[in-house]
Amino acid sequence: MLLELDIMELYNKAIVICDGKVKVADLPQHGETRIVTHQVKVKRSSGMGEKALSEKQWYKKKENWWIAIGGLIAVIALSIPFIIMKVSNSKFALKEFQNLGTVGDFFGGTTVGLLSLASITLVTAAIIMQKEELRLQRRELKLTRNEFETGNNTAKVQQIDNAFFNMLSLHHQIVNNIKLAEGGDPLTGREAITELKKIYENKFAFRQFKLEYPEEGFRSYAHSSILKGFTEKIFKNANTITQESLDEVYGDFHAAYGNNIGHYMRNNYRIVKFIVNNVANDEEEQKKIEEETGRKPIIGDKKYYFGMLRAQWSNAEFELILINSLYSENHKFKNLIIKHDVLDIEETQKKDMSQEVFILKESMDKFKAYKKLIEINK
């Protein structure tokens, strides 16, 4: 058996082929079609039939039964006077005009009760039909509202994404515009950031050198072996950096190189703040953010956006951003990084989730010198 279908004529149709039979139905503008199968055969379907069925058969609708009953009662009511006349073999002779009142009383007395009952059934049918229309209208409005909300949410997600990726583009422009001239050839971009990280570490190592050898000068410290030894002593061991020492060294570093890197750090803070205020992980967080900011965020995955941001950073950028956040004057940035694990450095596998202390990952041993500054209450 060969089945040929004209797809241009069968526009917006649902087709089911089973057991040698084909059922075709018009797809409703809004609604659903259900197909129930048993042993790989269609047993019944809702919204489909062999003649493009999308409506119930007439006898399955309550209002049709009420209309039929009402019509039947009306016919009976109108038939009763004539039935009475037939059975009683009565005849009415209208010789005078005033006799018409008697005829009217007769017909009214024999039909009014049943006609009233018929009107009640027809009114009931009208109420049922109106109720069904209102139900369909409410359903249509609900579907329209859902579609509007879906479209609105999609547009808002696109708006957030566009703003986010524009901020990333700005981030790269800022990186490319960073310049550093320290005696030799000027450095730009990520090379300048890498050099700035080395300058910061050297400042820390020199501070430690002066604490241990207060009488020695910079020339003694500048020897490569001494420089490397103090750098490793500070940054290769755990908990060697205190808040006081970091504030002192980074404060001096920022005073000297803030014009080179300050704009870069502030931009990263604004990107993180943008993600936190515009992306919620669930409805509960969405309501909380809306109460705090007055703006309704989208529901999405913050980790996705944080991951995209981290992907833009080099290793030197990653480290300098964390160091910048640990500086006391930048405590707001630190709070965001710790609370939302922006840098993905929190240990989650071995951590007791009931604890509210931030635990540094073992794989992040390059930050172990800052461990006691990182592992704090969220």
Side-chain angles (χ1 to χ4, degrees):
M1 182 180 295
L2 179 64
L3 175 64
E4 295 184 359
L5 299 174
D6 189 343
I7 61 174
M8 298 304 296
E9 291 185 0
L10 294 174
Y11 182 71
N12 285 346
K13 304 285 185 181
I15 302 173
V16 174
I17 303 174
C18 180
D19 200 21
K21 296 181 181 180
V22 179
K23 293 186 178 182
V24 182
D26 293 321
L27 292 176
Q29 185 176 3
H30 299 289
E32 63 180 17
T33 298
R34 296 182 181 180
I35 301 173
V36 180
T37 62
H38 177 66
Q39 295 182 350
V40 202
K41 292 185 179 181
V42 177
K43 300 301 292 181
R44 65 180 184 275
S45 60
S46 171
M48 299 191 69
E50 295 183 2
K51 295 182 179 181
L53 295 178
S54 60
E55 299 180 355
K56 293 181 180 179
Q57 294 175 311
W58 74 269
Y59 57 82
K60 292 184 178 180
K61 294 184 177 181
K62 293 180 181 180
E63 61 269 24
N64 289 343
W65 280 103
W66 283 101
I67 294 172
I69 293 171
L72 180 60
I73 294 174
V75 171
I76 293 173
L78 296 174
S79 301
I80 283 178
F82 298 100
I83 294 173
I84 293 174
M85 291 172 60
K86 181 67 175 177
V87 172
S88 62
N89 198 21
S90 299
K91 295 181 179 180
F92 292 93
L94 303 178
K95 295 180 179 180
E96 297 180 2
F97 184 75
Q98 60 267 22
N99 290 335
L100 287 175
T102 305
V103 175
D105 292 340
F106 171 72
F107 276 92
T110 55
T111 61
V112 68
L114 290 176
L115 287 176
S116 297
L117 179 60
S119 65
I120 291 173
T121 58
L122 293 174
V123 169
T124 303
I127 292 173
I128 293 174
M129 293 173 67
Q130 188 177 22
K131 181 180 178 182
E132 180 66 16
E133 289 294 327
L134 290 173
R135 186 186 68 82
L136 292 175
Q137 187 178 15
R138 286 194 298 268
R139 182 179 179 185
E140 183 78 16
L141 289 173
K142 182 179 179 180
L143 291 172
T144 303
R145 185 168 59 252
N146 290 340
E147 287 186 357
F148 176 77
E149 289 179 354
T150 300
N152 189 37
N153 291 336
T154 301
K156 193 165 186 179
V157 170
Q158 292 176 346
Q159 181 183 5
I160 296 298
D161 285 349
N162 289 338
F164 174 70
F165 286 107
N166 285 336
M167 294 178 83
L168 293 186
S169 297
L170 177 61
H171 166 84
H172 287 291
Q173 294 177 21
I174 293 172
V175 169
N176 293 333
N177 290 331
I178 293 177
K179 296 180 180 179
L180 179 67
E182 287 289 304
D185 295 333
L187 300 176
T188 60
R190 287 188 166 84
E191 290 183 349
I193 293 176
T194 301
E195 185 62 26
L196 285 168
K197 173 179 168 289
K198 291 180 180 178
I199 292 172
Y200 162 78
E201 292 178 346
N202 288 341
K203 281 180 173 292
F204 230 121
F206 182 66
R207 176 184 179 277
Q208 185 63 32
F209 172 79
K210 291 295 292 180
L211 289 175
E212 296 185 16
Y213 302 99
E215 297 179 358
E216 297 292 335
F218 181 78
R219 290 185 178 181
S220 301
Y221 164 77
H223 192 277
S224 60
S225 60
I226 297 177
L227 173 63
K228 182 178 180 182
F230 275 92
T231 302
E232 291 181 352
K233 185 176 182 179
I234 293 292
F235 296 101
K236 296 296 183 180
N237 295 302
N239 298 319
T240 54
I241 297 177
T242 64
Q243 188 67 62
E244 181 183 359
S245 61
L246 184 136
D247 288 346
E248 177 186 339
V249 175
Y250 191 83
D252 292 342
F253 171 79
H254 189 269
Y257 301 98
N259 289 332
N260 302 85
I261 204 168
H263 186 195
Y264 171 84
M265 292 299 178
R266 288 190 294 273
N267 184 64
N268 277 288
Y269 170 74
R270 295 314 309 177
I271 295 175
V272 172
K273 188 73 173 177
F274 174 83
I275 297 171
V276 170
N277 287 342
N278 289 279
V279 183
N281 292 322
D282 50 44
E283 292 183 358
E284 182 179 355
E285 187 179 10
Q286 185 184 48
K287 292 179 181 178
K288 185 177 179 181
I289 294 174
E290 187 175 9
E291 291 175 357
E292 293 176 352
T293 64
R295 298 189 303 271
K296 188 175 183 179
I298 63 171
I299 295 180
D301 186 4
K302 278 192 180 75
K303 291 183 178 180
Y304 165 77
Y305 292 93
F306 289 143
M308 289 294 296
L309 176 59
R310 290 195 303 271
Q312 316 306 311
W313 299 338
S314 65
N315 291 341
E317 290 177 80
F318 191 100
E319 294 182 36
L320 272 180
I321 287 170
L322 175 60
I323 295 165
N324 173 267
S325 71
L326 296 177
Y327 184 45
S328 291
E329 293 187 8
N330 298 331
H331 60 91
K332 292 182 179 179
F333 198 8
K334 177 182 178 180
N335 292 339
L336 291 178
I337 288 176
I338 297 299
K339 182 177 180 180
H340 301 283
D341 192 20
V342 176
L343 304 183
D344 191 28
I345 59 175
E346 183 181 15
E347 180 62 68
T348 57
Q349 299 296 326
K350 301 178 181 179
K351 178 185 174 183
D352 182 0
M353 300 309 293
S354 62
Q355 296 179 355
E356 290 299 324
V357 178
F358 190 97
I359 304 298
L360 185 67
K361 284 183 179 179
E362 293 182 1
S363 59
M364 292 292 170
D365 60 340
K366 60 184 175 182
F367 298 130
K368 60 186 178 181
Y370 306 94
K371 194 171 183 180
K372 60 185 175 182
L373 301 182
I374 297 173
E375 294 184 342
I376 61 174
N377 292 329
K378 291 186 178 181

